[in-house]
Amino acid sequence: AAPVSEAAAGGTAAEEATTTGEEALAPGELSEDHKLLLRCCKPLLQSRNSGVVHAVAALYFYLAPREELPRVTRALVFAMRASPHSQEVILKTLCTMVRVAPELFIPFFQHFFVGANDSSAVKAMKLEMLTHVVTEHNSGIMLKELQVYLRNPSLQFVVLTVRAIGRCAAQLPKMGSACVNSLLVLSSHPAEEVATEAVVVIRSLVQKHPAQNIGIVIRLLHRLDQLKANAARAAMVWLAAWEYGDPAADGTGDTPADKLMRIAPQVLRRVAANFANEDETTKLQLLNSCAKLVLKLPNDPTMPKLLEYTLSLAHYDQSYDLRDRARLLKALLLGTSNAGEGAGEAETTPSPLKQHALAVLLCSKPPPPLPSPNPSTSAATLGSLSHQVEHTVPGYVELPPHPEVLPPSDVRDQPLQQQATDGAARPRNVLQTGTEAQDFYAQDSSSSDSSDSDSSSGSDSGSGSESESEEGTSGSGSEEGADEDEDEDEDEDEDE
């Protein structure tokens, strides 16, 4: 999936947008809610939590315009180097992003150089990143770095480096000769897996650029006896009968393909001489190559005899697949399905299968893809567990496609909840509005006042008792003054 941020604004979209109260957006224009989401998430790229940075990067990858992705790339690369514990998870995401937009990671290619303490998975993903960001400007530095990796004691890492060299040579033909020379040296490596991988990568490069690598194939054919790996020998036997982009080559001209056609029968004869000790894969390739050269070199008298000899040996082999292949080729080329009979006993009239021999054996085929250091096998959403483990886990939900019609913005509004009625219990975390909020704060204030008065009365109990005694004394004094006034009034009455 590529980062997409455009909304289709067709006639139907415009009509539906009008009915929902929204205006249709022009192609490439973002809605206000979309801009708000991206603007609010951008500061999170500076978070010290690598998980937060990873989640924001996935959001921008799917929803942001392409011109805003460089900042996300910078934040992800920094998070990869700053947190070694999450390095593998972030690299998994980077490997997916680099296949869509490799130009975003070219300025950071040195950050993907392999370290001595990296795990095997991290090394493979870093090599994958390097194969996508190689350019003419950094090819020299990249090739020197890869040649250093070839001296690593880990054979598994050396095999992955060989694959990375092959992919770099396929992307940049200018550095192809240097890469192929390095692979040619590795074809004689004492480790079988390294030598096999080098020959397989050379075969893939030859299929992509046949005219430029025929000389390398001729050198490898002369060194066939030095190749001990079964897969490497099978690859060289297959290369001996390939047309190298020139189907008209029959060994009579002066082109490199014709020169190879003259060498090929001798190479196949040397392999057939050791037929009993060869691996089953090499035997199958030998049968196929002999059948192809019989059709390509009709004037060569040795090829029909070599084909008859190999078919006879395959008829008594222990492998079921090899015996079945021998019967098929016998029916295609000699008109009979009995692989043990000689060529002189074959049917004189061509069989229906024999009429289609050219179409079956010499059909055009696309070149196979070059092996990758870390091939991707999952198209799950970035940041999901399915993307990390490369298979769909239970509960995984795919990312929905972008809508063609702009949804209304009112679905994202959050209205205040209505007051609960009929004595229903209000759930927790429900917003209170209007009078309820005022009553709530009024109750808090009254309770706080009462608590303050209680505390003050408790603290000033001593002073309160003193004031009560003073009030009592003043009250008794006032009562005595009132009695004296009454006595004086009675004396005055008696005088009158």
Side-chain angles (χ1 to χ4, degrees):
V4 180
S5 61
E6 298 181 358
T12 306
E15 295 176 0
E16 296 184 4
T18 304
T19 57
T20 56
E22 298 287 341
E23 296 182 357
L25 297 177
E29 183 181 359
L30 302 181
S31 64
E32 294 300 327
D33 292 334
H34 198 160
K35 294 178 182 179
L36 179 62
L37 173 64
L38 299 178
R39 185 167 59 253
C40 293
C41 292
K42 184 177 293 186
L44 296 177
L45 292 174
Q46 301 177 1
S47 174
R48 299 182 63 182
N49 190 328
S50 58
V52 175
V53 177
H54 185 265
V56 176
L59 172 70
Y60 266 71
F61 180 73
Y62 290 115
L63 299 179
R66 200 180 188 90
E67 56 270 12
E68 296 189 15
L69 293 181
R71 184 173 182 179
V72 176
T73 305
R74 189 182 305 108
L76 273 180
V77 172
F78 179 79
M80 178 195 68
R81 294 176 58 87
S83 83
H85 301 289
S86 58
Q87 187 178 27
E88 184 174 348
V89 177
I90 296 177
L91 275 173
K92 193 74 175 179
T93 300
L94 293 178
C95 288
T96 302
M97 296 175 66
V98 76
R99 294 185 179 95
V100 178
E103 66 278 358
L104 298 176
F105 300 90
I106 293 177
F108 311 100
F109 76 97
Q110 293 184 348
H111 295 275
F112 303 110
F113 287 167
V114 177
N117 298 326
D118 292 338
S119 62
S120 300
V122 171
K123 290 179 180 179
M125 286 186 284
K126 284 187 175 181
L127 287 175
E128 179 70 17
M129 293 293 298
L130 291 177
T131 58
H132 286 280
V133 300
V134 61
T135 59
E136 295 181 357
H137 300 286
N138 59 21
S139 59
I141 302 175
M142 197 83 69
L143 184 59
K144 291 180 181 178
E145 186 73 15
L146 294 176
Q147 289 176 348
V148 172
Y149 298 160
L150 293 176
R151 297 192 290 269
N152 194 283
S154 175
L155 295 180
Q156 181 183 4
F157 180 59
V158 174
V159 169
L160 297 179
T161 305
V162 170
R163 296 180 181 179
I165 291 176
R167 291 180 66 89
C168 292
Q171 294 181 13
L172 295 178
K174 292 184 177 180
M175 63 182 300
S177 59
C179 293
V180 171
N181 290 332
S182 300
L183 296 175
L184 191 61
V185 175
L186 291 173
S187 63
S188 302
H189 198 276
E192 180 178 349
E193 53 267 34
V194 177
T196 300
E197 194 65 33
V199 175
V200 170
V201 171
I202 290 176
R203 184 188 67 177
S204 300
L205 290 175
V206 168
Q207 289 182 266
K208 292 183 70 69
H209 307 285
Q212 303 174 4
N213 299 309
I214 291 182
I216 300 297
V217 176
I218 295 176
R219 292 172 60 183
L220 279 176
L221 291 177
H222 285 296
R223 299 166 56 184
L224 180 62
D225 295 336
Q226 301 177 9
L227 298 178
K228 303 301 180 182
N230 296 325
R233 293 179 65 86
M236 293 313 304
V237 172
W238 182 89
L239 285 173
W242 194 51
E243 60 270 10
Y244 300 95
D246 188 6
D250 55 0
T252 58
D254 296 333
T255 62
D258 289 321
K259 183 179 180 180
L260 186 60
M261 288 294 101
R262 290 193 292 268
I263 300 175
Q266 303 302 324
V267 174
L268 298 182
R269 183 181 60 81
R270 287 156 51 191
V271 177
N274 195 31
F275 187 87
N277 299 324
E278 295 289 350
D279 185 70
E280 180 180 353
T281 306
T282 307
K283 293 177 182 178
L284 287 172
Q285 292 296 340
L286 177 62
L287 288 176
N288 294 336
S289 297
C290 289
K292 291 179 181 179
L293 289 182
V294 166
L295 298 176
K296 289 182 180 181
L297 306 175
N299 299 326
D300 191 340
T302 61
M303 286 310 305
K305 297 179 181 180
L306 182 60
L307 176 63
E308 180 183 357
Y309 176 72
T310 54
L311 289 177
S312 300
L313 293 176
H315 176 69
Y316 298 99
D317 196 86
Q318 296 180 356
S319 173
Y320 291 99
D321 295 336
L322 197 62
R323 295 200 298 268
D324 292 342
R325 182 66 57 85
R327 293 190 186 95
L328 174 62
L329 295 178
K330 189 75 172 181
L332 281 173
L333 300 176
L334 304 179
T336 178
S337 61
N338 187 1
E341 297 178 356
E345 301 177 3
E347 298 178 0
T348 56
T349 58
S351 64
L353 287 178
K354 189 175 181 179
Q355 297 176 0
H356 301 283
L358 291 175
V360 173
L361 297 176
L362 299 181
C363 60
S364 59
K365 300 177 182 178
L370 285 168
S372 174
N374 186 55
S376 177
T377 58
S378 175
T381 307
L382 295 182
S384 62
L385 180 61
S386 299
H387 179 263
Q388 184 65 26
V389 299
E390 296 189 351
H391 65 82
T392 303
V393 298
Y396 170 72
V397 179
E398 294 184 358
L399 189 69
H402 288 273
E404 297 182 358
V405 179
L406 183 66
S409 60
D410 55 358
V411 298
R412 287 174 289 279
D413 295 339
Q414 296 182 0
L416 298 176
Q417 300 291 338
Q418 298 294 333
Q419 186 175 3
T421 58
D422 300 335
R426 181 184 297 277
R428 300 181 62 183
N429 299 331
V430 176
L431 297 178
Q432 297 181 350
T433 60
T435 308
E436 292 184 356
Q438 296 177 1
D439 295 342
F440 175 77
Y441 290 110
Q443 293 174 5
D444 289 346
S445 60
S446 61
S447 61
S448 61
D449 294 340
S450 62
S451 61
D452 292 342
S453 63
D454 294 340
S455 61
S456 61
S457 62
S459 61
D460 299 338
S461 59
S463 60
S465 60
E466 294 177 356
S467 61
E468 289 176 358
S469 60
E470 292 177 355
E471 290 176 358
T473 304
S474 61
S476 60
S478 61
E479 291 176 355
E480 291 177 355
D483 295 338
E484 292 178 354
D485 294 338
E486 293 177 356
D487 294 338
E488 292 177 355
D489 293 337
E490 291 177 354
D491 294 338
E492 292 178 355
D493 297 335
E494 291 178 358
D495 294 337
E496 292 178 355

